[in-house]
């Protein structure tokens, strides 16, 4: 049974990572048609360096995801604190309303945002994409931080207040360190949701502006080139490096 379990685990990992590994290997293949035998070359990375549209779209995705994760994490953390530490009429309803944006298909949400933004005069563009990504990430942040809050009651905060700590001191010296693992996880989740978001970005992007997922989709429609493999390999290497560094040096509620 042990060897059967290891074989099953290996098959699952191969199913998940083998296509990604092949894509990354082909980013270094000189042939534009993925011909074999494999010939190592950096031609597609050099071509990527000259592709202004793809680089601009990638930069748009990065700064939108960073700003969206910061805003969503700040607002979501405060909302989670308000829901966890207070009792008021309609609280249960508000908590239930966190889940429809997660379960409703993004196609419907993107259509609704497009209509709402036109109706309110927000329009389309990078600012609209940022607002849409923040709205989409907020429920995830509230749920993740709220789960962390559920494991820690208000006793430590009350103890700090009884010892003379001001509300701000209790928040930054007691509450924030307790919530730090949840806040970090929520921020990373919000960044991933924003950076990977295609439908909302596609609906809200103005002509001449796009994000990396939209630009990749457009490139595939016009004719796929290994430049997509090159930028995808860079994204995978950077994201995996960040995850490994964070998991190595941060204590998520336990041993390092």
């Amino acid at each position: 049974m042990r060897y059967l379990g290891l074989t099953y685990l290996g098959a699952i990992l191969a199913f998940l990572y083998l296509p990604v590994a092949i894509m990354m290997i082909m980013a270094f293949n000189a042939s534009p048609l993925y011909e074999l035998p494999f010939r190592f070359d950096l031609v597609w990375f050099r071509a990527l360096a000259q592709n202004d549209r793809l680089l601009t779209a990638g930069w748009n995705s990065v700064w939108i995801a960073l700003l969206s994760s910061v805003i969503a994490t700040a607002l979501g953390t405060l909302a989670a604190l308000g829901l966890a530490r207070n009792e008021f009429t309609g609280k249960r309803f508000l908590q239930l309303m966190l889940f429809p944006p997660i379960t409703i298909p993004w196609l419907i949400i993107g259509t609704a945002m497009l209509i709402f933004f036109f109706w309110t005069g927000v329009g389309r563009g990078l600012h609209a994409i940022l607002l849409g990504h923040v709205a989409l990430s907020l429920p995830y942040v509230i749920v993740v931080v709220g789960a962390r809050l559920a494991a820690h009651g208000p006793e430590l905060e009350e103890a700090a207040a009884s010892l003379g700590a001001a509300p701000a001191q209790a928040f930054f010296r007691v509450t924030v360190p307790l919530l730090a693992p949840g806040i970090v996880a929520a921020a990373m989740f919000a960044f991933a949701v924003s950076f990977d978001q295609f439908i909302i970005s596609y609906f809200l992007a103005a002509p001449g502006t796009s994000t990396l997922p939209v630009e990749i989709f457009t490139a595939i429609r016009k004719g796929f080139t290994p430049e997509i493999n090159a930028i995808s390999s860079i994204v995978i290497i950077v994201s995996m490096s960040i995850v490994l560094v964070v998991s190595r040096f941060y204590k998520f509620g336990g041993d390092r």
Side-chain angles (χ1 to χ4, degrees):
M1 292 299 296
R2 178 174 178 272
Y3 290 113
L4 181 62
L6 291 175
T7 302
Y8 177 75
L9 178 60
I12 294 296
L13 293 176
F15 178 78
L16 291 175
Y17 290 104
L18 189 59
V20 177
I22 292 175
M23 180 201 68
M24 295 180 66
I25 292 172
M26 288 303 169
F28 297 92
N29 191 3
S31 171
L33 302 176
Y34 308 117
E35 295 175 342
L36 297 176
F38 177 87
R39 290 183 297 129
F40 181 85
D41 202 325
L42 298 177
V43 60
W44 302 116
F45 290 88
R46 291 193 292 268
L48 174 63
Q50 305 299 323
N51 192 327
D52 293 334
R53 287 182 58 88
L54 207 55
L55 293 177
T56 301
W59 169 246
N60 287 340
S61 288
V62 169
W63 77 258
I64 288 175
L66 285 173
L67 193 55
S68 172
S69 62
V70 170
I71 296 173
T73 303
L75 296 178
T77 300
L78 295 177
L81 277 169
L83 290 172
R85 297 293 190 256
N86 298 281
E87 294 294 334
F88 52 87
T89 304
K91 174 182 175 180
R92 185 65 60 185
F93 174 76
L94 290 177
Q95 289 176 323
L96 291 175
M97 290 302 294
L98 293 173
F99 295 98
I102 299 176
T103 57
I104 294 175
W106 286 343
L107 179 64
I108 306 301
I109 295 178
T111 304
M113 285 185 177
L114 178 61
I115 296 173
F116 179 76
F117 285 173
F118 266 111
W119 181 62
T120 56
V122 175
R124 301 167 65 188
L126 295 178
H127 65 288
I129 295 175
L130 176 62
L131 291 175
H133 287 192
V134 170
L136 197 65
S137 302
L138 268 175
Y140 296 94
V141 174
I142 296 174
V143 169
V144 172
V145 178
R148 180 72 181 178
L149 275 168
H152 301 279
E155 293 80 10
L156 292 177
E157 301 166 10
E158 294 172 354
S162 67
L163 293 174
Q169 291 177 316
F171 176 75
F172 286 107
R173 295 188 179 183
V174 178
T175 307
V176 171
L178 287 175
L179 296 183
I183 293 174
V184 172
M188 295 179 66
F189 207 110
F191 182 91
V193 168
S194 175
F195 188 85
D196 191 48
Q197 182 54 238
F198 166 73
I199 296 177
I200 304 297
S201 302
Y202 185 78
F203 274 69
L204 300 181
T209 61
S210 65
T211 60
L212 186 59
V214 176
E215 193 62 33
I216 290 176
F217 175 75
T218 304
I220 291 175
R221 291 179 61 189
K222 294 180 179 179
F224 187 86
T225 64
E227 295 171 51
I228 305 299
N229 291 349
I231 195 169
S232 299
S233 300
I234 294 173
V235 170
I236 291 171
I237 292 172
V238 172
S239 59
M240 291 298 293
S241 299
I242 293 174
V243 171
L244 290 175
V245 169
V246 171
S247 62
R248 172 65 180 84
F249 293 102
Y250 201 91
K251 296 181 179 180
F252 287 97
D255 295 332
R256 180 174 296 183

